[in-house]
Amino acid sequence: RFDYALNKLNSGFKNAGLNSYKTNSKLSKHSIFVGLASSIHNPSLEINTSKVDQLIQSESFLLFRANSNQPLYVLAKDESGLLYAINKLIAEKLYLETIVDVFESPEMVLRGTSIGLQKTEYLPGRDVYEYPYTQESFPWFYDKDHWTKYLDMMEENRYNSLYLWNGHPFSSLVKLDDYPYALEVDEETFAKNEVMYKFIAEEANKRGIWLIQMFYNILLPKPFADKHNLKTQDRNRIITPLIEDYTRKSIAEFVEKYPNVGLLVTLGEA
């Protein structure tokens, strides 16, 4: 994320017809110092520490230049804040200003959008909420350009969380050695799902966006339910050791495979 933010700064300067920035230990009035709040303890940096002391909350940032003889400081509490600072610096051309004094800090910890991998009609032979990840049902899910534009929009508006909503995503995204028959998509689709899901998670993370997968608990994939003569959904069901084992292993495999993705559970059988 830090490198992504710096690359945006470099690109922004080139587009503005300015020379590429450089970070040196010796700063001049033409310098731009970019870093996290913890990095200003260098004695060569001349900046009022009371300004930096404002950087307490996650994603907060500071753009500061005291006068035309001073360097411009771009400081943030964390890498997400640094990304927001650089976006503001470039968009508003604040690097051209003689005096700059901007401090921003979020009022909401989580700011996000929700995308439903669900449809307004049932799939044949399926119940509500049962929508495996396939190109037939969700062609847009497999479009990298579409996702890049959407994630860019989220970054521009400082959204920091993206919620994907699906009844039981695990049987489209992970395989289990103990339950290979639980997979709800063919091998080709599964491979595409792996590629796309990792792409979305990585691109979101670069932009300071936490990808969060929602699921209903407890729903079962249809192949698994059919094999064991179970319903995919049953509000009155007893959670047997088999159902518990499958659910635990599905979640564990997902967490191991996608460690930076969060999980949001909804009690589908409450």
Side-chain angles (χ1 to χ4, degrees):
R1 193 177 307 167
F2 190 91
D3 291 339
Y4 174 77
L6 291 185
N7 287 336
K8 292 201 74 173
L9 179 60
N10 201 19
S11 297
F13 270 43
K14 286 181 180 177
N15 293 336
L18 301 173
N19 292 328
S20 176
Y21 69 96
K22 290 184 179 179
T23 301
N24 300 312
S25 56
K26 211 168 182 184
L27 299 178
S28 73
K29 64 180 182 180
H30 302 296
S31 299
I32 296 180
F33 179 85
V34 179
L36 303 181
S38 57
S39 65
I40 56 85
H41 299 299
N42 187 325
S44 67
L45 302 180
E46 300 175 1
I47 184 171
N48 189 331
T49 55
S50 65
K51 288 285 185 184
V52 183
D53 289 343
Q54 300 176 88
L55 299 173
I56 299 173
Q57 188 173 348
S58 295
E59 301 178 325
S60 59
F61 67 83
L62 172 69
L63 301 171
F64 183 75
R65 175 157 53 203
N67 55 61
S68 59
N69 293 316
Q70 294 294 317
L72 174 60
Y73 291 93
V74 181
L75 298 171
K77 176 64 176 179
D78 51 28
E79 294 180 358
S80 291
L82 192 66
L83 177 60
Y84 298 156
I86 288 173
N87 284 344
K88 186 176 183 70
L89 178 72
I90 297 298
E92 301 183 16
K93 299 181 179 179
L94 295 176
Y95 48 81
L96 300 177
E97 300 293 330
T98 302
I99 298 175
V100 180
D101 191 358
V102 176
F103 170 77
E104 294 190 17
S105 182
E107 294 185 10
M108 298 182 68
V109 175
L110 287 177
R111 310 170 303 278
T113 64
S114 178
I115 296 179
L117 280 117
Q118 300 183 137
K119 301 177 77 67
T120 55
E121 66 275 351
Y122 292 2
L123 295 180
R126 299 278 185 166
D127 205 342
V128 64
Y129 308 132
E130 297 176 14
Y131 301 96
Y133 289 14
T134 67
Q135 209 146 7
E136 292 74 25
S137 293
F138 309 107
W140 49 266
F141 180 78
Y142 301 88
D143 187 337
K144 288 185 177 181
D145 289 339
H146 169 82
W147 276 111
T148 299
K149 291 175 183 177
Y150 187 81
L151 294 171
D152 284 345
M153 177 280 296
M154 292 187 67
E155 177 195 330
E156 181 181 351
N157 289 281
R158 298 185 189 173
Y159 288 113
N160 64 3
S161 53
L162 170 60
Y163 304 82
L164 299 184
W165 208 267
N166 183 266
H168 190 78
F170 308 112
S171 53
S172 295
L173 296 170
V174 297
K175 293 180 180 179
L176 301 179
D177 291 338
D178 291 343
Y179 304 102
Y181 51 86
L183 190 67
E184 289 198 274
V185 297
D186 59 48
E187 291 294 338
E188 182 180 357
T189 299
F190 180 77
K192 290 180 180 178
N193 289 348
E194 285 185 308
V195 170
M196 283 308 306
Y197 208 83
K198 289 178 180 178
F199 173 82
I200 296 167
E202 290 172 1
E203 290 298 314
N205 185 59
K206 284 197 305 190
R207 293 164 174 78
I209 300 166
W210 184 22
L211 182 63
I212 299 173
Q213 177 67 63
M214 171 274 169
F215 66 100
Y216 288 100
N217 196 50
I218 291 174
L219 267 68
L220 299 175
K222 185 169 174 50
F224 178 93
D226 289 347
K227 181 175 179 63
H228 296 285
N229 296 314
L230 297 167
K231 294 181 179 179
T232 54
Q233 306 176 48
D234 185 354
R235 291 180 182 272
N236 299 312
R237 87 157 95 238
I238 296 173
I239 306 303
T240 64
L242 173 68
I243 294 173
E244 179 181 356
D245 186 62
Y246 165 75
T247 303
R248 285 182 181 276
K249 287 178 178 176
S250 293
I251 294 173
E253 183 66 22
F254 181 89
V255 170
E256 183 176 356
K257 190 172 184 178
Y258 305 105
N260 295 322
V261 178
L263 287 172
L264 170 65
V265 61
T266 295
L267 300 179
E269 297 182 347

